[in-house]
Amino acid sequence: MNKIRVGVSVNNDKIEFLCSPEDTVLDVLRDNLRLTGTKEGCGTGDCGACSIILDDKLVCSCLVLAGEVEGSEISTIEGMAIDGKLHPLQQNFLKHAALQCGICTPGILIAAKALLERNPDPTETEVRYWLAGNLCRCTGYDKIIRAVMDAAAEMRS
Amino acid sequence: MCSKKDEMKKKFRVVGTRPIRPDGIEKVTGQALYGADLHAPNMLVGKMLRINEPHAIIKSINISKAQKLPGVKAIITFQDFMEVSTNKTNDILENCLANKKVLYDGHAVAAVAAINSEIAKKALDLIDIELEMLPFVVDVDTAMQKGSPVVQLGRKHENVSDDFSDNVTSFCSFGHGILEDGYKNAAKVIERSFKTPSVHQGYIEPHACLASMTADGRSDLWCCTQGQYNVRAICADIMGIEESKLRVTASEIGGGFGGKTTVFIEPIALALSLKAGHPVKIVMTREEVFKATGPTVSSSIDIKMGMSKLGIITAAHAVIRYEGGAFPNETYELGAQSAFAAYDLKAVKSEGYNVLTNRPAQAAYRAPGAPQAIFAVESAVDELCEQLNLDPLETRLKNAAKKGTKASYGPTFDEIGLIATLESAKKHPHYAAPLAQNQGRGISCGFWFNFGGNTCVSLNINFDGTVGIIEGNPDIGGSRASISQMAAEELGIPLERIRTVIADTNSLGHNDVTDGSRVTFSVGLATIKAAKAAKKEMCKRVAKLWKIHEDAVIWKDGYVLPAGPNAGDQEPLSLKEIAAMSAQTGGPIAGHHEVNAEGAGVSFGVHLVDVEVDPETGQTKILRYTVFQDAGKAVHPSYVEGQMQGGSVQGIGWALNEEYIYDSSGKLQNSGFLDYRIPVASDLPMIEPVILEIPNPGHPYGVRGVGETSIVPPLAAICNAVSRATNIRFTELPLSPPKVLSAILGKE
Amino acid sequence: MVKVKIWGSLVEATGFEYVNVEGTNFIELLENLQLKYPGLRPQIQRGVSLAIDGKIYKESWFTPIRKDSEVVLMPFMIGG
């Protein structure tokens, strides 16, 4: 079978990998690069656990073919804390107990970060609709929404 | 030593605060390792061949073509397993891999291990299966009738009437008093039939495991599970090895809610590994999770209830029929026992049936069996209140179970918190808030038993004065935090000095599954006792050092000090100072505790919900939601709130959207999150938790399990709210927009 | 003798809602129940719990039972 050679930047590191034509970005992140912080919850783009930022766009990495991302910049959960310092979203998720099992947390953090980069002062409704593509089964979302709102306020000040 | 009563009243220093959870940073940075996150050298990928037919005889399985595919290292079918010792284990194995019959859409018949997933998938396509289709049944009421297709023969208990088909495996009944007398004294008697769909726990992490087994039986298994010891017991039995040979390590777990209390892929991975001589990893797809793990039972329930003019329930009868798929289970008993638990009734009877169908074997789901039965009961109570023009909360208060009530399932209740919970709801501004047109308010009580169970905790005082706790229950929602807090409280040291780890099966004695809301209660209890044992040892060391009797020293707030002036005037010694002298005073210091914990104490909750129903679309919007629940003592209030909020939202999904939909050919139509719709953030308001703290006498700090009760009330609370908003009594869940709309149109 | 409440669907096996058996703890009571009422055997083998003075015990053979304890036979519970 023919492998495709792809060069990308992942969390600001230049990386090359070989992939099969049917491999998704999620497959490559998890299995080739061993960046297992990005989770697979459904494989069909319905749960958001595999959310990453691909060239400034929030995407489900299970729906993007790895062979098509040559030259892209990818950000994953592993790149969210810089030099060991947690992002305000990460800090607020911990402070608010916005995670129970934690499996959806990487995807939700990435999605929330993408929101705050576009809209630093979202209303509760805006946060709820932006995160409607990220399923969480443990928390009922209450503490997640509060954590995102508080992180946004902190980042604005 | 202070007495138990004093301890209950004591002011806590760490318990009741909201520290950052100790496993938090790993979980917000992507470092925490879940089931699918581990890779082993030389690892193979395992995949299962599943049959998309509801019921069929397996005539033959031909693997010869698949075996020849380069890169395929092992293929197994049921025939690769030896006979197992018990019916129960055999059921689990036959659910993992079909024996003579395919019993439901998605039932696996073979498994392949190959060098990558592409080859494994190709190999599955090359396996030839010859099937003989059989008639099938997926509906509970149909399955009970004589002449219905029979899923499995010979599973009927001795007490089941011959009037039913052989799908009816078990029957139970509970209650007391004479129903007919009660109905005679009622101002109103209603008879209603209710249906609830099968729903899935919907944990976001699909089942995953990595197994390595060698020819001498030594094996390692990594998997996401609610109970590694249970996985070990089942897998060792299936694989015919001693338990000591199989080490099971629980990964971080991405949700379970009861669905990860059994096994679906673990024995398969072990058998493939044994056959191939490589480690084998199996990760389920979401479709497999929906089709071939353990959703909850679906139900058909009849209620007959009478109420006096003043709102006293004079008699109540429930007939509960649960369908839990192709294998027998005991959930019907829990349903029949919990149905009327919230009420003090003179005449009550609940009957339960378990019924086999061609659906996947049910697994536990948060308070298993209770939500369905209590939905029916609480709906009937509400309708009677409406018909008799009574306040639904006052009426529940009048009938509420309390200390001395003979519970419908038998025993007499000790101290319980239902009345306090109802009173708290009555006083809350939510109950008096105005409602607009098309809006309705619903209320429901909820109940769960709560379990204790087998628990081991080992607590080591490190030489530097830090403390290591080893416990054996996967942390499914912050239990490392609450366990560490209880240890810090007991030892009088800062929380940061404690690290709690979850042991593999070979590093600590047996622990029951993380279920029944048992962990904070039972593991907490064992932790406190382990800490007490360590403290006793430290007191002993200091007494020796001071050359006084053991009884002449006491422990206070992290220090050992002389018991009184007669004991001397030595400077108190801190835990840290004593730890530093461990080697010189007799060696490492530790405490441990092993117990089959009893006294968990039953749990009650009350939910209030306001909804608005759109008469144009039939869609229900949740406007306001308040949860009242007794936590005994909330060790980490944020995570207690989280249980109350999360359970409520699962219940909201059950009430409004979620259901297993089978088509006329017996195949599951919605095996993905797009069509099986769990609540998303934009569906919901904030969920307000109100924690009550009525100490549980069975726990040193008064802790009561809080995990499950919160999923019980939402079904009826929402149905009652929708019924009041539309003036139409609904009896079937989910209240999906088409169903509600057609009822609204039907009324017009 | 200890008075034991039998749940509804088992009454057929004993003939009575309440039965009296000897026993000073959990296991003695279960053994004597089976001896005196063999019809209870299949269910006891499948698993039962005992509620003793309102508290539910799932196993715990040596849990003491007093003559005046309230004892209720219950199914063995598994949860979520």
Side-chain angles (χ1 to χ4, degrees):
Chain A
M1 75 202 105
N2 293 326
K3 292 267 182 187
I4 307 165
R5 180 183 176 132
V6 181
V8 291
S9 146
V10 178
N11 301 327
N12 295 322
D13 291 326
K14 294 265 177 251
I15 283 175
E16 282 193 345
F17 60 82
L18 290 174
C19 67
S20 299
E22 67 274 17
D23 283 346
T24 64
V25 170
L26 178 62
D27 294 332
V28 166
L29 285 172
R30 290 184 53 85
D31 297 335
N32 300 30
L33 306 177
R34 301 282 157 97
L35 291 170
T36 55
T38 306
K39 305 301 180 191
E40 176 161 359
C42 68
T44 49
D46 298 316
C47 79
C50 67
S51 299
I52 59 164
I53 295 172
L54 177 70
D55 293 333
D56 296 324
K57 269 212 279 298
L58 176 68
V59 298
C60 284
S61 59
C62 72
L63 295 182
V64 183
L65 288 173
E68 295 184 343
V69 297
E70 171 65 35
S72 299
E73 285 185 16
I74 291 171
S75 307
T76 71
I77 187 66
E78 286 89 350
M80 199 161 169
I82 305 209
D83 300 328
K85 191 178 178 332
L86 296 183
H87 187 278
L89 275 164
Q90 292 171 310
Q91 288 171 0
N92 275 284
F93 266 57
L94 293 178
K95 190 175 118 195
H96 285 272
L99 57 143
Q100 282 176 34
C101 82
I103 195 87
C104 70
T105 308
I108 291 187
L109 284 167
I110 290 287
K113 184 167 171 248
L115 167 66
L116 299 189
E117 278 163 7
R118 281 161 185 75
N119 179 358
D121 191 8
T123 64
E124 182 192 327
T125 304
E126 283 169 335
V127 176
R128 286 189 178 275
Y129 276 86
W130 182 270
L131 292 180
N134 290 81
L135 302 181
C136 167
R137 192 59 157 173
C138 295
T139 63
Y141 304 101
D142 184 300
K143 294 184 190 302
I144 292 174
I145 305 300
R146 290 179 199 276
V148 173
M149 302 286 287
D150 270 19
E154 208 177 297
M155 287 164 74
R156 286 195 304 274
S157 62
Chain B
M1 285 300 272
C2 42
S3 78
K4 204 168 193 177
K5 269 246 165 81
D6 292 338
E7 204 158 27
M8 306 293 272
K9 275 187 274 168
K10 85 185 209 183
K11 290 247 187 306
F12 292 102
R13 187 177 51 86
V14 188
V15 163
T17 63
R18 302 175 186 240
I20 302 278
R21 65 192 281 170
D23 53 339
I25 292 178
E26 292 142 78
K27 285 180 177 163
V28 297
T29 56
Q31 291 174 70
L33 292 175
Y34 291 82
D37 295 343
L38 206 63
H39 292 76
N42 214 10
M43 181 180 93
L44 303 175
V45 174
K47 296 237 175 256
M48 320 268 289
L49 178 62
R50 298 184 182 278
I51 302 296
N52 295 124
E53 293 294 341
H55 200 190
I57 295 171
I58 303 167
K59 306 282 277 185
S60 67
I61 303 176
N62 187 339
I63 60 169
S64 57
K65 268 185 279 173
Q67 253 171 337
K68 286 181 198 130
L69 186 70
V72 171
K73 301 289 180 188
I75 301 178
I76 58 162
T77 67
F78 189 85
Q79 307 313 318
D80 285 87
F81 292 90
M82 61 198 95
E83 216 166 284
V84 297
S85 60
T86 63
N87 248 344
K88 201 107 213 159
T89 313
N90 192 63
D91 281 356
I92 293 170
L93 176 59
E94 283 202 29
N95 187 38
C96 293
L97 212 48
N99 182 5
K100 292 182 174 109
K101 284 209 296 185
V102 171
L103 294 169
Y104 55 88
D105 173 22
H107 204 171
V109 295
V112 170
I115 53 171
N116 60 41
S117 69
E118 224 179 306
I119 294 172
K121 277 185 217 158
K122 267 188 201 148
L124 294 183
D125 289 340
L126 292 173
I127 298 176
D128 286 323
I129 310 280
E130 201 191 332
L131 297 173
E132 182 191 325
M133 303 306 168
L134 294 170
F136 64 89
V137 60
V138 293
D139 173 70
V140 60
D141 292 321
T142 316
M144 290 180 82
Q145 289 164 15
K146 277 250 179 217
S148 157
V150 172
V151 179
Q152 287 199 55
L153 269 172
R155 303 309 296 262
K156 205 171 192 161
H157 287 169
E158 68 289 343
N159 64 352
V160 177
S161 155
D162 286 330
D163 296 342
F164 299 116
S165 83
D166 279 12
N167 291 321
V168 182
T169 62
S170 344
F171 167 71
C172 65
S173 77
F174 302 91
H176 54 254
I178 298 161
L179 293 174
E180 283 319 311
D181 293 354
Y183 293 132
K184 269 184 231 149
N185 295 330
K188 186 93 205 167
V189 177
I190 59 168
E191 289 182 70
R192 295 287 178 271
S193 297
F194 299 88
K195 280 206 137 183
T196 65
S198 178
V199 297
H200 197 273
Q201 297 84 357
Y203 35 80
I204 307 299
E205 180 199 31
H207 297 256
C209 70
L210 173 56
S212 174
M213 182 166 184
T214 51
D216 65 0
R218 271 174 215 278
S219 343
D220 270 292
L221 179 62
W222 160 275
C223 59
C224 56
T225 176
Q226 289 176 242
Q228 60 271 42
Y229 296 88
N230 186 45
V231 170
R232 179 175 70 172
I234 296 167
C235 290
D237 192 10
I238 289 175
M239 301 306 294
I241 54 175
E242 297 94 343
E243 290 197 5
S244 62
K245 283 198 173 158
L246 173 57
R247 179 173 63 167
V248 183
T249 307
S251 70
E252 293 303 325
I253 178 169
F257 317 108
K260 290 177 182 168
T261 54
T262 181
V263 304
F264 301 104
I265 51 175
E266 290 79 357
I268 310 302
L270 283 165
L272 284 170
S273 171
L274 177 66
K275 202 161 182 182
H278 293 243
V280 173
K281 178 168 164 178
I282 299 181
V283 180
M284 272 191 167
T285 64
R286 179 56 53 182
E287 187 185 1
E288 286 182 289
V289 171
F290 274 113
K291 284 191 162 179
T293 63
T296 185
V297 297
S298 70
S299 77
S300 160
I301 301 172
D302 297 337
I303 302 282
K304 183 176 179 186
M305 190 181 281
M307 194 179 271
S308 74
K309 258 193 191 140
L310 293 172
I312 302 297
I313 301 170
T314 56
H317 183 197
V319 180
I320 292 163
R321 308 169 198 94
Y322 284 176
E323 159 286 317
F327 296 90
N329 64 80
E330 289 80 36
T331 304
Y332 71 105
E333 291 173 343
L334 296 167
Q337 290 178 95
S338 54
F340 295 108
Y343 297 113
D344 188 343
L345 302 173
K346 274 214 179 77
V348 58
K349 186 173 187 186
S350 57
E351 296 169 273
Y353 293 93
N354 178 63
V355 185
L356 301 179
T357 59
N358 293 108
R359 293 188 185 215
Q362 69 99 47
Y365 181 23
R366 212 169 193 156
Q372 299 92 330
I374 289 174
F375 157 66
V377 170
E378 289 290 311
S379 296
V381 171
D382 203 67
E383 186 180 344
L384 281 168
C385 290
E386 217 177 16
Q387 291 202 15
L388 294 168
N389 208 12
L390 296 163
D391 179 278
L393 213 163
E394 288 291 354
T395 306
R396 283 174 172 84
L397 266 169
K398 275 184 195 158
N399 293 285
K402 51 194 167 292
K403 184 174 179 171
T405 292
K406 187 174 158 68
S408 56
Y409 58 90
T412 304
F413 283 128
D414 193 358
E415 294 289 351
I416 51 171
L418 178 59
I419 288 195
T421 315
L422 281 163
E423 292 284 3
S424 167
K426 193 171 133 186
K427 273 185 265 160
H428 194 278
H430 184 167
Y431 197 60
L435 289 168
Q437 209 192 348
N438 298 324
Q439 296 182 353
R441 176 164 301 141
I443 176 177
S444 174
C445 299
F447 162 85
W448 184 242
F449 291 101
N450 285 354
F451 298 169
N454 294 293
T455 309
C456 296
V457 168
S458 188
L459 184 149
N460 296 299
I461 310 289
N462 300 323
F463 285 5
D464 69 351
T466 60
V467 172
I469 295 172
I470 306 165
E471 52 120 335
N473 280 93
D475 181 348
I476 205 155
S479 58
R480 285 186 188 90
S482 60
I483 303 307
S484 303
Q485 280 176 275
M486 284 184 266
E489 188 73 54
E490 192 61 37
L491 293 170
I493 60 172
L495 185 66
E496 301 70 44
R497 285 211 215 140
I498 295 173
R499 178 157 189 204
T500 299
V501 298
I502 290 139
D504 63 62
T505 51
N506 293 36
S507 306
L508 188 70
H510 177 92
N511 284 272
D512 285 350
V513 173
T514 296
D515 73 353
S517 304
R518 72 173 218 92
V519 173
T520 307
F521 170 77
S522 309
V523 181
L525 182 125
T527 300
I528 292 164
K529 297 215 169 156
K532 285 188 194 295
K535 287 191 328 194
K536 194 169 179 218
E537 178 62 23
M538 286 187 272
C539 287
K540 211 161 101 185
R541 303 282 175 102
V542 174
K544 263 193 182 163
L545 195 70
W546 288 343
K547 295 182 183 141
I548 56 180
H549 195 267
E550 245 177 84
D551 295 341
V553 302
I554 54 164
W555 181 279
K556 195 161 184 281
D557 301 333
Y559 287 83
V560 173
L561 48 158
N566 293 342
D569 58 354
Q570 293 87 341
E571 278 296 301
L573 281 172
S574 69
L575 182 148
K576 195 173 175 174
E577 289 166 311
I578 303 163
M581 298 182 285
S582 298
Q584 295 76 18
T585 58
I589 298 168
H592 60 97
H593 192 74
E594 296 77 27
V595 64
N596 186 357
E598 310 285 2
V602 296
S603 163
F604 290 94
V606 174
H607 291 198
L608 276 182
V609 59
D610 294 354
V611 302
E612 181 166 319
V613 180
D614 182 343
E616 306 281 312
T617 62
Q619 196 180 5
T620 300
K621 192 171 171 48
I622 308 284
L623 302 173
R624 184 170 184 179
Y625 204 104
T626 314
V627 185
F628 305 85
Q629 195 177 318
D630 172 18
K633 175 72 203 169
V635 178
H636 191 309
S638 297
Y639 289 102
V640 172
E641 292 165 0
Q643 290 298 322
M644 291 160 70
Q645 294 165 330
S648 300
V649 169
Q650 286 185 317
I652 290 170
W654 200 337
L656 292 179
N657 290 303
E658 295 178 35
E659 64 179 317
Y660 265 47
I661 301 171
Y662 282 88
D663 67 10
S664 57
S665 63
K667 291 173 192 174
L668 184 62
Q669 288 301 291
N670 57 338
S671 56
F673 278 136
L674 190 61
D675 299 315
Y676 182 97
R677 197 177 178 289
I678 72 171
V680 302
S682 55
D683 295 337
L684 299 160
M686 293 297 185
I687 309 290
E688 187 187 340
V690 179
I691 301 175
L692 284 89
E693 293 190 322
I694 303 152
N696 172 15
H699 186 281
Y701 294 169
V703 171
R704 197 184 290 280
V706 294
E708 289 166 291
T709 303
S710 55
I711 200 174
V712 179
L715 282 63
I718 289 167
C719 192
N720 291 337
V722 171
S723 296
R724 284 169 183 267
T726 56
N727 275 318
I728 302 168
R729 271 286 149 187
F730 289 89
T731 54
E732 196 170 317
L733 299 181
L735 298 165
S736 53
K739 196 180 286 167
V740 174
L741 184 61
S742 88
I744 292 172
L745 295 176
K747 192 178 73 166
E748 283 166 3
Chain C
M1 295 285 234
V2 180
K3 188 163 113 180
V4 183
K5 180 175 160 51
I6 305 296
W7 77 79
S9 44
L10 285 183
V11 169
E12 214 169 286
T14 56
F16 304 98
E17 189 186 346
Y18 290 91
V19 298
N20 290 306
V21 289
E22 295 290 347
T24 60
N25 64 26
F26 186 112
I27 184 67
E28 282 177 24
L29 199 89
L30 284 194
E31 279 169 357
N32 292 334
L33 268 175
Q34 293 182 76
L35 283 175
K36 203 161 168 186
Y37 301 101
L40 290 177
R41 193 176 294 271
Q43 180 61 45
I44 292 179
Q45 300 296 326
R46 279 196 291 271
V48 290
S49 312
L50 281 183
I52 303 168
D53 295 322
K55 227 172 167 188
I56 300 167
Y57 295 85
K58 278 170 76 177
E59 287 156 311
S60 299
W61 286 356
F62 310 129
T63 306
I65 296 175
R66 295 187 324 270
K67 285 205 185 330
D68 59 345
S69 292
E70 182 204 56
V71 180
V72 181
L73 194 67
M74 291 175 65
F76 189 80
M77 288 189 216
I78 45 167

